Every structure is written in structure tokens, then in C-alpha cells.
Amino acid sequence: MSKNALGVLYTADPIMKNLLEVAENVASSKATVLIQGESGTGKELLARYIHARSPRCQRKFIAINCAALPEGLLESELFGYEKGAFTGAEQKKLGKFELAQDSTFLLDEISEMPLLLQAKILRVLQEGELERLGGQIVTKINVRILATTNRDLRQMVHQGLFREDLYYRLNVVPMYVPPLRERLKDIELLAKLFLEISCVENQLPIKDLNAAALEKLQSWSWPGNIRELQNAVERSVLLCPHKTLSPQDILIDNFKESKKEAITVGMSLEDVEKWLILKTLELTSQNRSKAAQLLGISVRTLRNKMSLYMREV
């Protein structure tokens, strides 16, 4: 499911179709929308879908990943800074909020935002104004805020990890994107779509799936959701010499399919690391922040390693 400016979403699932109807209904409003769901389900694409159907669609869609930047850099990226605000600030820079003026701004993985910044975000939402770092001038902004998270924000509020007032300010219109394993019709639709795309992009004859291959795809739990499905289909297309893919040609990550429950002698360091990451994610119900903490690495490092392993064939 590729991202694009038109916010196209392909689905055959009744729940997803109802979700798109809700998105259509709220697109023209200024209400904040909190989109929740597992990683890889298409939350950002849903945000783009809302923007594309809003009165702000002629303006550029702006997004920032709150988990991808350290706290200090995240603040300057959000609010911008004045010349001389800190060492290296040689000229004024507009933040993402100002760049999103009269448009839509997506706070991706809002759950990873530090508490101090959460207070500043709340002010922007409530007052519609901000100050650049090192500045004293208040700037009024007109920005429609959308946010995504793969974590339970209500639980984070109870744990003191997320501001309750910000949670309620974001959760004006709650939307939940179900995991792919609960959308069997979408597995078939998207698998065939990705298959065709992969063939075209790699200049291969168009291939198809037999019934048993499709059944194999629909029986897999897809912990990586749509992102994992797309990678698996492309991998299978590239390595299958046949025009029609059978179950043995469907190359879902072999490591994940392994029944091994322990590290064994002879495994490479890479496989050991891969096993440990997958098991930790399984233990934490795919909670990347908690998994990164248990593994002793940053969320960004974990994301990079997951991206690397999901591309492997």
C-alpha cells in the first residue's frame, strides 16, 4: 500500500469501508483525529486520506515521526527557532507547525513524544499559537492536527507516561485501524495488488496466486501487517520462476516460521539478534518503546533493525 498525495486506500473489508466513511465525514471539519492501530496497518495513509478530502487538500500535507528524532531536535523541528537561539542556529528556521499553516499536520507515533514537549503541543492545540525557540514573538497558526499511535494512550495516561489533558484534546475523533490478520478479504486484495505492482516494477510477466497460496497468506498472522505482506509478496515474485505462485513459492519470513523457541549453537549473530528482537516484540505485544527498553537500544535503532530484517529474502 504505497503512500501518495491522493490518499488512496484499497480495501474489501467491511470494517475498513466503514472507517473510510467516518474519515469522509470528518475530513471537512477542524477536529483533531487520533488514529490508533498496530505498526504497518496504514495509519499514516488514513491520515493522508483525510487530508485529501478536506478543504486543506491544496496545501502540502506535513508529517513528523515523533520516535525518529531525539527530544532536543524534535522540539526545534516542531517549533522552529530564531537566529542565535543556540550554537549553530545561524539563521531563522520555521518549524513544522508553521510549515503546515492552513494545512494538515500529522504527529506520527505521538506516544513517543516526551512529557515536556507534550505540554507545548497542548498549548498549540488549545491556543492556536506558538513561539519559536529563542523567540519572544507569538505566532498564530491555523493547522489541522492528526495523530497516530501503535500504543494504548489511555494506559500510558494511567502510567503517568502521557498527559491526560493532551490525550483528550487529541482524541476528539478516535479511529482504530484493525490489524491485517482480521481483514482476510484485504489480504487477498492487497496480495494481488502488490503482486501486480512487483511484476510491473521489476519488468516481469504478470503472475498470479493459486488458491492454496492465497490460503497460506490468509493463515499467517502478519505481525508486520500490510508492510510485511508487501515485502513478502515482492520477495516471492522475485524468487519464484513460475507464472503461478504455489504455497511453496510464498516466502514469508522463514525465520518467523521457524518453530525454534531458543537460541541454538550454529546460529549466526545476525539470526540471534533477529530472534531476540522478534521474541521481545512478541513479549511486549509489538510495543516498540517497551521492547527497545528491554533490549537496551533506542526506538530508532529498533526501527532500523526491523526495517532491515523485513527487507531480507
Side-chain angles (χ1 to χ4, degrees):
M1 183 176 291
S2 60
K3 303 168 188 171
N4 55 70
L6 296 178
V8 176
L9 271 164
Y10 298 96
T11 184
D13 180 77
I15 295 178
M16 283 297 296
K17 288 181 178 180
N18 182 66
L19 191 65
L20 295 187
E21 289 183 8
V22 174
E24 295 267 4
N25 291 336
V26 303
S28 60
S29 74
K30 295 181 179 180
T32 55
V33 179
L34 179 61
I35 305 172
Q36 302 177 80
E38 295 179 6
S39 296
T41 51
K43 297 187 296 297
E44 181 177 342
L45 194 58
L46 180 59
R48 290 176 179 270
Y49 184 93
I50 293 172
H51 171 71
R53 284 150 184 80
S54 75
R56 302 167 185 261
C57 62
Q58 298 303 316
R59 306 284 294 183
K60 183 179 179 181
F61 177 88
I62 303 294
I64 192 169
N65 188 315
C66 300
L69 298 171
E71 182 174 349
L73 185 55
L74 178 59
E75 184 174 9
S76 65
E77 284 293 310
L78 286 169
F79 296 96
Y81 52 81
E82 298 289 353
K83 180 179 179 180
F86 50 82
T87 302
E90 299 179 354
Q91 61 183 4
K92 179 180 74 175
K93 177 183 177 181
L94 299 183
K96 297 291 188 181
F97 277 114
E98 288 186 81
L99 293 175
Q101 185 73 285
D102 299 321
S103 187
T104 306
F105 185 24
L106 171 63
L107 295 166
D108 191 20
E109 297 196 44
I110 185 70
S111 56
E112 309 308 314
M113 181 173 290
L115 283 168
L116 180 60
L117 274 183
Q118 290 178 26
K120 294 187 176 183
I121 295 295
L122 182 63
R123 179 191 173 190
V124 175
L125 289 172
Q126 290 180 334
E127 308 298 333
E129 59 184 35
L130 57 81
E131 293 179 20
R132 301 189 196 107
L133 299 183
Q136 298 180 339
I137 299 176
V138 174
T139 301
K140 299 293 291 186
I141 60 169
N142 173 25
V143 177
R144 203 278 180 80
I145 301 295
L146 308 178
T148 67
T149 179
N150 60 4
R151 301 180 63 182
D152 186 340
L153 289 189
R154 187 185 296 273
Q155 183 180 22
M156 290 183 67
V157 168
H158 293 157
Q159 295 171 339
L161 300 175
F162 200 86
R163 292 181 63 104
E164 184 175 19
D165 46 8
L166 178 57
Y167 168 71
Y168 287 117
R169 189 63 185 81
L170 291 170
N171 200 39
V172 176
V173 180
M175 303 184 77
Y176 173 72
V177 183
L180 188 59
R181 60 182 170 274
E182 297 177 6
R183 298 153 49 186
L184 296 185
K185 290 184 178 180
D186 276 358
I187 292 177
E188 177 178 2
L189 174 69
L190 294 172
K192 291 179 178 179
L193 175 64
F194 293 148
L195 188 147
E196 182 177 349
I197 291 174
S198 296
C199 290
V200 172
E201 289 184 346
N202 292 285
Q203 299 181 332
L204 296 171
I206 300 298
K207 301 182 180 183
D208 56 18
L209 300 162
N210 66 23
L214 177 59
E215 184 178 350
K216 180 177 181 179
L217 289 173
Q218 292 179 323
S219 66
W220 182 244
S221 61
W222 300 111
N225 290 291
I226 297 172
R227 192 178 297 120
E228 182 186 3
L229 174 63
Q230 184 170 12
N231 290 338
V233 170
E234 182 173 11
R235 179 163 56 237
S236 302
V237 165
L238 293 175
L239 297 181
C240 174
H242 316 297
K243 181 178 179 181
T244 300
L245 277 66
S246 301
Q248 61 268 25
D249 300 314
I250 301 300
L251 303 176
I252 300 172
D253 195 319
N254 290 328
F255 191 87
K256 292 179 185 176
E257 289 187 311
S258 172
K259 298 299 183 180
K260 295 178 182 177
E261 292 297 333
I263 298 172
T264 59
V265 176
M267 291 175 66
S268 68
L269 287 176
E270 181 178 315
D271 279 351
V272 170
E273 180 181 65
K274 188 174 179 181
W275 181 89
L276 185 59
I277 287 174
L278 292 172
K279 284 299 175 184
T280 305
L281 285 166
E282 181 180 325
L283 176 66
T284 60
S285 300
Q286 306 301 316
N287 186 320
R288 295 187 185 185
S289 296
K290 189 177 295 183
Q293 183 178 10
L294 291 173
L295 291 166
I297 59 178
S298 68
V299 174
R300 185 175 185 179
T301 298
L302 177 61
R303 287 167 57 89
N304 290 339
K305 289 183 180 294
M306 290 175 64
S307 178
L308 172 65
Y309 294 144
M310 288 176 68
R311 287 199 306 265
E312 291 180 350
V313 298

